[in-house]
């Protein structure tokens, strides 16, 4: 994914960096789980056991980016098909490439898999379309279902003429999610009432509020957000719950993420931040590719290490770190050779004359 380019010509590079950090947190968390599963030991003292918080960062970022890059199109409902097409192209094609690769590997190494339900037509279609409650071939695909729901939810801005009315509806929806909490009433109702949807709403709020911050307040909120996120990680690693279910994640990670994001945007647009390194920016560009490929590669890599009979804890740590670096490189290559050209080609084939957003 390329850098976000707001209308005034700014390039919000620190949001790209934040994407890369979010992906890396998820990778490190899954590396810890896999390491413990195959060796019985903790990876780096389980310090990254809270890495799932990278998903919370992604959800807030999603709300901001979609609003910031597409809200100006909502004045004309005729832009809705172009918006949906472009958003779906962003999610589905890279996922489908890996989906069929994983299916092929499942077929070739049939005896290594205990569950073959994915080859049932209904399961396969559910996974292919990322429907709620689908059979996950890739363990992170549940979050893509959430993203698709966010895209559809935002589409309401195209359909409601008075934007303030729909914004009020979204605010009431967020309040409803807080009051109802976690629910298990079937996959469709579960995603509709999923508390982590609040994080997407927080991102929308950030898009409307960031210009109202002054630099001094932005610095204070940045420190508060980072401190809150670290405190949330400390609580998560120790399994200390403040609220029930996913609402706990919204409070300890979603709210701090919102403060970090709104502060970084304000400070960067005011020229108050140094330019980030090219490596961090590249990792941010490739964040979706890295997110998609890391879990299967981690599982395969750790299985190879175990098969090699490596039992020394120090050596296993070193090799796992090297494996993580290799997966990051693979993510960069998948983005450069598959994701970016594929999405670029598909977007060029959109219907002529159809207005679309300038997106990240």
């Amino acid at each position: 994914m390329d850098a976000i380019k707001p209308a005034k010509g700014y390039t919000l590079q620190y949001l790209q960096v934040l994407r890369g950090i979010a992906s890396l947190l998820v990778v490190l968390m899954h590396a810890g789980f896999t390491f413990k599963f195959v060796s019985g030991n903790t990876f780096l003292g389980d310090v990254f056991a809270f890495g799932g918080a990278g998903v919370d960062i992604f959800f807030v970022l999603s709300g901001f980016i979609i609003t910031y890059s597409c809200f100006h199109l909502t004045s004309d409902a005729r832009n809705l098909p172009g918006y949906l097409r472009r958003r779906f192209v962003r999610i589905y094609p890279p996922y489908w490439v890996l989906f069929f690769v994983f299916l092929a590997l499942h077929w070739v190494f049939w005896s290594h898999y205990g569950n073959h339900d994915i080859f049932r037509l209904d399961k396969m279609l559910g996974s292919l379309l990322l429907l709620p409650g689908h059979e996950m071939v890739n363990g992170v695909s549940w979050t893509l279902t959430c993203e698709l729901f966010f895209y559809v939810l935002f589409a309401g801005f195209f359909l409601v003429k008075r934007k303030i009315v729909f914004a009020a509806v979204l605010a009431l929806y967020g309040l409803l999610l807080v009051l109802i909490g976690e629910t298990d009433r079937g996959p469709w109702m579960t995603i509709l009432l999923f508390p982590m949807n609040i994080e997407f709403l927080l991102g929308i709020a950030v898009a409307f509020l960031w210009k109202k911050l002054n630099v001094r307040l932005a610095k204070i909120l940045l420190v508060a957000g980072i401190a809150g996120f670290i405190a949330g990680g400390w609580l998560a690693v120790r399994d200390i719950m403040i609220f029930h279910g996913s609402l706990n994640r919204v409070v300890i990670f979603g709210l701090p993420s919102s403060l970090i994001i709104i502060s970084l945007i304000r400070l960067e647009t005011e020229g108050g931040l140094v330019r980030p390194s090219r490596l961090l920016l590249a990792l941010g560009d490739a964040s979706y590719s890295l997110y998609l490929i890391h879990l299967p590669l981690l599982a395969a890599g750790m299985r190879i290490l175990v098969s090699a009979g490596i039992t020394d804890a120090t050596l296993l740590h070193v090799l796992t770190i090297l494996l993580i670096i290799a997966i990051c490189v693979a993510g960069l290559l998948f983005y450069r050779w598959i994701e970016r050209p594929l999405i670029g080609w598909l977007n060029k084939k959109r219907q002529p004359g159809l207005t679309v957003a300038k997106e990240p």
Side-chain angles (χ1 to χ4, degrees), residues 19 22-23 26 53-63 147 287 291:
R19 279 172 160 169
S23 283
V26 176
V55 173
D56 302 86
I57 296 174
F58 276 131
F59 283 1
V60 179
L61 278 173
S62 182
E147 285 288 336
S287 58
Y291 188 70

Side-chain angles (χ1 to χ4, degrees), residues 4 15 18 32-33 36 87 125 131 180 182 184 215 332:
I4 303 162
L15 294 196
L18 204 54
F33 288 165
K36 184 179 289 186
R87 296 318 307 183
L125 286 176
L131 299 180
I180 292 180
E182 209 84 31
D184 185 14
V215 172
L332 291 167

Side-chain angles (χ1 to χ4, degrees), residues 181-197:
E182 209 84 31
T183 183
D184 185 14
R185 303 176 184 176
W188 291 90
M189 284 300 293
T190 296
I191 195 166
L192 178 64
L193 299 175
F194 189 32
M196 287 179 70
N197 296 346

Side-chain angles (χ1 to χ4, degrees), residues 3-12 64 68-69 210 265 269 358:
I4 303 162
K5 297 178 181 177
K8 289 189 176 181
Y10 295 116
T11 298
L12 299 180
F64 169 76
Y68 195 44
S69 62
W210 71 272
I265 297 165
T269 54
K358 290 184 179 179

Side-chain angles (χ1 to χ4, degrees), residues 5 21 55 77 138 178 183 198 234 241 243 315 321-322 325:
K5 297 178 181 177
I21 291 173
V55 173
N138 189 329
V178 172
T183 183
I198 295 170
W234 185 87
M241 299 282 289
F243 296 91
L315 179 58
I321 292 171
L322 292 175
I325 294 172

